[in-house]
Amino acid sequence: MNSVGKSWLLLTGLIVFYIIYLLFGALVFSTIERPVEEQLRRDMDALKQEFLNQSCVSAASLENFLVRVLTANKYGVSALRNSSVTSNWDLASSMFFANTLVTTVGYGHTTPLSDTGKVFSIVYALIGVPFTMLVLTACVQRIMYPLVIAPVCLLQRSGLEPRPATVVHFLLLLVLVVLCFFLMPAAVFSAVEVSWSFLDGLYFSFISLCTIGLGDFVPGMQPRQKYRPLYQVAVMVYLFVGLMMMYLLLRTFHKMSDLHGLTSFLQLPRCEDSDMEEEREPIVHEDSRTANNVTEKAASKPLDPGSQPSYNTINKG
Amino acid sequence: VAAPDLLDPKSATHNTKPRLSFSTKPITLTPREESEMVATVMKWKTVTAIFLLVVLYLVMGAAVFRSLEQPHESAQRLAILSQKLEFLSKHSCVNQSQLEELVKQVVSAIRSGVNPAGTLTNHSSLWDLSSAFFFAGTVITTIGFGNTSPHTEGGRIFCIVYALLGIPLFGFLLAGVGDQLGTIFGKGIAKVEKMFVHWDISQTKIRVISTLLFVLFGCLLFVALPAAIFKHIEGWSALESLYFVVITLTTIGFGDFVAGGSEIEYLDYYKPVVWFWILVGLAYFAAILSMIGDWLRVISKRTKEEVGEIRAHAAEWTANVSAEFKETRRRVSVEIYDKFQRAASIKRKLSSELGFSPAPELTLPRRTVSVNFNDERDKIERDAGLQGLTTPLTRNGGLYMNGLDPERGDISIIEHLK
């Protein structure tokens, strides 16, 4: 089978497998969560009934009231008495919000209410997201040498073959990242946040560092949180460094799979380190004809590793 | 989103013009190990500079958001508090603590995704198969709306494991889709460019136009059209639809607006179509971002190139000018020599006619003059002439004393000299 046909086949296979994976996830989530939801709904109804029974409030006015409370709550404004007076939009919180915007985590615990805010969010995100990606990968590029290449060389010098050396190093790095960026912060969060358990902290760390950012747990949102601005800035720094480490992990994994031949097997573009040779070629000033030929050649061979721009990692998550 | 590669080394080798790339890869700068070690100091400076820039960008954004949003927030807060007071005053049998309790319960129910407003019967579950499918999709694509989230411990643990496996899987998928999309568009643009070539427009202009066309067409297909559809089906305003599209396709995913998240009656195929749109739209956005990155990289490369070219041209020009100058000098001296010779011969003739003896003339230094019209001999003589520029060579009937003829492509000689 020629290269193009093979790539299409692989893609279709991938899509089918992906759909199956989603269905599987849907089934499992459904089975786990649905009973709990039912129970909560029944509890809510009972609560409302109880409230209505013992008071002079009519169902309609209660509904009305509840709808307004919920609308306000959706925007982060609490109707409770003991909610803190601190705004969700003071400087530190706004910076936290801007950070969730550009790292694409997007918790959603506070969202822009005004129309102007929405327009500004769009523009800010469109510029900020590529910008952040640039910074993160530039940083990863710099720390790649001391954290990956040097240790691998060290391992090789101590007698291991290149391939096992990379595997060993990757596993070590993985253990280190999990320890420092998942387990430790989880412990810290469960200590600082009153209502979070260790599992909640771990869940939060994972959901944030994969930039999923569901928003069911957000640090620093409790009323009367001590040193709230400092706490939020610290969480921002943690997010940024953690994201960087995730990129690093992915990059190392990609280089490793390059070495082990996985990427060419799956017809994926290679890590661009292997293209250093081409980069050193002199950039010839081609005339228009040859440039066109090159484009067409590149266009007709989509997944040929040699002609495609390479990926250093596939996904930031 | 699969992070786009904004600085890709491969593009440098293929073109002098920005290439359209539709890959979905993060940005990297070329790892040049040797030069990295040499130039480490400078590079750290660059990184720090960029980092400071990002921090500045964040602070600026924070300030703007604060000034835009805080008034609204205060207004909302006032409104809800007055609502509460109004409610309490209207219904005197309810005391404040009861109300607080109710509100607290309601709020936590909302956090769990259960909406207590409205009656029980016409609620569709948040965890029926299609909604769970949608939720799984938001986890894998890292959008993470958050309007539904797992609340049981088992659900959360499963979510972690599920995401660990699913996100790379989606990454591969996105890479594949992005590639196919890129190929399709690349072919289309190549065809368009072929058309334009007949019109004799410059290559760069064609490339720019085709890029713009691609961006516009994609925007129409993946941004404007879905926004219009959402506006119609979900009942949002135009701005809200656009906001939703951008927030979703950059995988930020706040969750304040979610397609398929309201209480409206949706068509059966609505949610799957939305999911499919997210997939392709993500690939498009990643392609756009990587294209921007390619441009950035090529611009930086081209600037370097152009600076190098400018320098080379300047050197060339200087060499040309000096060659011309030398040649003019020689030509002038030859003319003087010629004139002198003619004057001398006239003098001789006159003197012979008049019977005078030839007077001793001032002799110019002897020069060998060789006339040849053969290029090869030219070349040899040229090469020989490079060693000592006093050997005159003639070509095409003219007299060029140093063998360098700018009109005949002596650039190569100058290059050779360089």
Side-chain angles (χ1 to χ4, degrees), chain A residues 8 11 14-15 18 21-22 25-26 28-30 32-34 36-37 40-41 44-45 47-48 51 54-57 61-63 66 68 70 77 79-81 87-89 94-95 97 101 104-108 111-115 117-121 124 127-128 130-131 133-135 137 141-142 149 199-200 203 206 210-214 216-217 247 268 272-273 275-276 278-280 283 285-286 294 299 302-303 306 308-316, chain B residues 1-3 5 7-10 13-14 24-29 31 33-34 43 47 50 53-54 57-58 61-62 64-66 69-70 72-73 77 80 83-84 87 91 93-94 98 100 102 105-106 109-110 112 115-118 120 123 125-128 132-133 135 137 139 142-146 149-153 155-156 158 160 162-166 170-173 175-176 179-180 183 193 239 243 250-254 256-257 275 289 301 305 309:
Chain A
W8 271 105
L11 184 67
L14 202 59
I15 290 181
Y18 179 68
Y21 190 72
L22 281 182
V28 176
F29 277 122
S30 193
I32 296 180
E33 292 290 323
R34 202 153 173 181
V36 179
E37 184 201 20
L40 189 58
R41 188 162 276 149
M44 266 293 110
D45 278 332
L47 183 74
K48 260 164 66 171
F51 188 80
Q54 67 176 25
S55 70
C56 50
V57 181
S61 49
L62 182 65
E63 285 298 317
L66 281 181
R68 294 204 194 187
L70 295 176
V77 176
L80 290 174
R81 176 174 44 189
S87 165
N88 276 325
W89 292 102
S94 301
M95 192 149 158
F97 172 75
L101 201 60
T104 78
V105 172
Y107 289 122
T111 53
L113 299 170
S114 58
D115 276 353
K118 293 194 171 92
V119 172
F120 181 70
S121 304
Y124 193 75
I127 300 173
F131 191 23
M133 296 303 160
L134 174 66
V135 176
T137 26
Q141 203 63 42
R142 300 295 172 264
I149 298 175
L199 178 65
D200 292 339
Y203 173 73
F206 180 79
C210 289
T211 76
I212 299 175
L214 287 170
D216 42 359
F217 290 101
Y247 273 178
L268 294 166
E272 83 280 358
D273 282 359
D275 298 327
M276 264 177 78
E278 274 178 285
E279 232 271 326
R280 290 215 196 93
I283 299 158
H285 208 97
E286 298 166 343
V294 168
L303 290 183
Q308 254 335 65
S310 52
Y311 298 46
N312 64 348
T313 72
I314 299 297
N315 189 305
K316 70 172 191 247
Chain B
V1 71
D5 186 352
L7 299 162
D8 175 40
K10 281 203 70 72
T13 57
H14 278 309
T24 56
K25 51 201 182 309
I27 307 142
T28 59
L29 305 172
E33 254 74 74
E34 303 87 34
K43 282 185 177 176
V47 178
I50 300 178
L53 208 66
V54 169
Y57 190 71
L58 286 176
V64 176
F65 275 122
R66 178 170 73 152
E69 292 295 322
Q70 223 166 19
H72 268 259
E73 186 198 22
R77 186 165 278 146
I80 196 63
Q83 284 282 334
K84 214 163 91 169
F87 186 82
H91 304 95
C93 57
V94 180
Q98 281 179 321
E100 285 292 321
L102 178 71
Q105 297 269 8
V106 164
I110 272 286
S112 313
N115 189 352
L120 174 66
H123 272 180
S125 168
L126 282 169
W127 292 105
D128 58 359
F133 185 88
F135 171 73
V139 167
T142 79
I143 296 177
F145 284 124
S149 56
H151 287 272
T152 58
E153 274 204 5
R156 288 184 181 142
F158 178 72
I160 291 177
Y162 190 73
L164 268 175
L165 298 171
F170 183 75
F172 285 141
L173 179 66
D179 271 339
Q180 299 302 330
T183 328
E193 282 183 351
L239 175 65
Y243 171 75
T250 50
T251 78
I252 297 175
F254 282 132
D256 47 356
F257 295 98
W275 169 80
L289 291 171
K301 265 264 165 206
E305 263 178 59
E309 265 176 36

Side-chain angles (χ1 to χ4, degrees), chain B residues 214-257:
Chain B
F214 163 70
V215 171
L216 255 123
F217 182 63
C219 265
L220 206 70
L221 196 61
F222 298 118
V223 178
L225 189 64
I229 295 177
F230 289 135
K231 178 170 186 291
H232 176 74
I233 295 187
E234 301 275 346
W236 299 330
S237 76
L239 175 65
E240 284 167 357
S241 307
L242 188 65
Y243 171 75
F244 167 73
V245 167
V246 172
I247 293 291
T248 306
L249 288 186
T250 50
T251 78
I252 297 175
F254 282 132
D256 47 356
F257 295 98

Side-chain angles (χ1 to χ4, degrees), chain B residues 187-200:
Chain B
K187 280 192 191 144
I189 284 170
K191 282 198 192 120
V192 167
E193 282 183 351
K194 234 187 271 185
M195 269 176 11
F196 274 106
V197 156
H198 298 308
W199 293 9
D200 199 28

Side-chain angles (χ1 to χ4, degrees), chain B residues 90-402:
Chain B
K90 227 166 59 171
H91 304 95
S92 46
C93 57
V94 180
N95 64 5
Q96 195 158 27
S97 57
Q98 281 179 321
L99 191 64
E100 285 292 321
E101 183 59 37
L102 178 71
V103 171
K104 207 158 71 170
Q105 297 269 8
V106 164
V107 165
S108 67
I110 272 286
R111 287 259 157 83
S112 313
V114 175
N115 189 352
T119 57
L120 174 66
T121 49
N122 64 354
H123 272 180
S124 57
S125 168
L126 282 169
W127 292 105
D128 58 359
L129 207 61
S130 78
S131 308
F133 185 88
F134 196 70
F135 171 73
T138 62
V139 167
I140 301 300
T141 54
T142 79
I143 296 177
F145 284 124
N147 57 339
T148 46
S149 56
H151 287 272
T152 58
E153 274 204 5
R156 288 184 181 142
I157 294 174
F158 178 72
C159 190
I160 291 177
V161 176
Y162 190 73
L164 268 175
L165 298 171
I167 291 175
L169 172 66
F170 183 75
F172 285 141
L173 179 66
L174 202 64
V177 172
D179 271 339
Q180 299 302 330
L181 208 67
T183 328
I184 295 171
F185 274 111
K187 280 192 191 144
I189 284 170
K191 282 198 192 120
V192 167
E193 282 183 351
K194 234 187 271 185
M195 269 176 11
F196 274 106
V197 156
H198 298 308
W199 293 9
D200 199 28
I201 314 177
S202 85
Q203 185 77 13
T204 326
K205 278 201 203 127
I206 297 174
R207 199 60 75 114
V208 168
I209 292 173
S210 52
T211 319
L212 280 173
L213 276 177
F214 163 70
V215 171
L216 255 123
F217 182 63
C219 265
L220 206 70
L221 196 61
F222 298 118
V223 178
L225 189 64
I229 295 177
F230 289 135
K231 178 170 186 291
H232 176 74
I233 295 187
E234 301 275 346
W236 299 330
S237 76
L239 175 65
E240 284 167 357
S241 307
L242 188 65
Y243 171 75
F244 167 73
V245 167
V246 172
I247 293 291
T248 306
L249 288 186
T250 50
T251 78
I252 297 175
F254 282 132
D256 47 356
F257 295 98
V258 181
S262 337
E263 303 289 324
I264 314 172
E265 275 293 313
Y266 294 112
L267 300 166
D268 272 338
Y269 58 83
Y270 180 64
K271 282 208 181 122
V273 170
V274 171
W275 169 80
F276 185 73
W277 159 72
I278 288 178
L279 174 66
V280 188
L282 278 177
Y284 169 72
F285 254 63
I288 292 278
L289 291 171
S290 70
M291 196 161 59
I292 296 176
D294 267 0
W295 277 80
L296 277 179
R297 182 163 227 296
V298 174
I299 285 173
S300 77
K301 265 264 165 206
R302 279 190 68 184
T303 320
K304 271 194 237 166
E305 263 178 59
E306 266 159 19
V307 166
E309 265 176 36
I310 288 173
R311 275 203 228 118
H313 276 132
E316 229 176 83
W317 182 82
T318 331
N320 275 354
V321 164
S322 61
E324 283 265 15
F325 188 58
K326 274 189 215 157
E327 199 200 298
T328 320
R329 267 205 331 244
R330 306 275 170 152
R331 211 181 308 162
V332 164
S333 68
V334 163
E335 276 173 24
I336 294 174
Y337 177 75
D338 252 0
K339 286 197 183 120
F340 195 84
Q341 285 283 52
R342 257 185 257 132
S345 63
I346 289 171
K347 219 173 149 186
R348 250 185 283 132
K349 253 165 85 183
L350 282 174
S351 63
S352 67
E353 278 171 13
L354 296 172
F356 289 148
S357 59
E361 359 172 336
L362 287 168
T363 51
L364 292 170
R366 293 200 135 242
R367 295 164 192 262
T368 46
V369 178
S370 56
V371 180
N372 51 64
F373 299 99
N374 190 339
D375 274 1
E376 275 181 7
R377 283 194 65 193
D378 258 356
K379 198 163 171 260
I380 298 167
E381 307 230 7
R382 204 192 303 154
D383 286 340
L386 282 177
Q387 270 104 47
L389 287 174
T390 53
T391 314
L393 300 167
T394 61
R395 204 174 299 134
N396 303 329
L399 264 177
Y400 295 91
M401 302 309 268
N402 59 3

Side-chain angles (χ1 to χ4, degrees), chain A residues 239-271:
Chain A
L239 276 180
F240 191 79
V241 180
L243 266 180
M244 209 165 73
M245 298 310 285
M246 299 292 274
Y247 273 178
L248 183 70
L249 261 182
L250 275 168
R251 184 126 202 268
T252 320
F253 180 71
H254 195 227
K255 285 183 89 159
M256 201 179 72
S257 60
D258 266 353
L259 201 63
H260 289 253
L262 277 177
T263 39
S264 44
F265 174 69
L266 290 172
Q267 292 257 321
L268 294 166
R270 255 186 241 121
C271 213

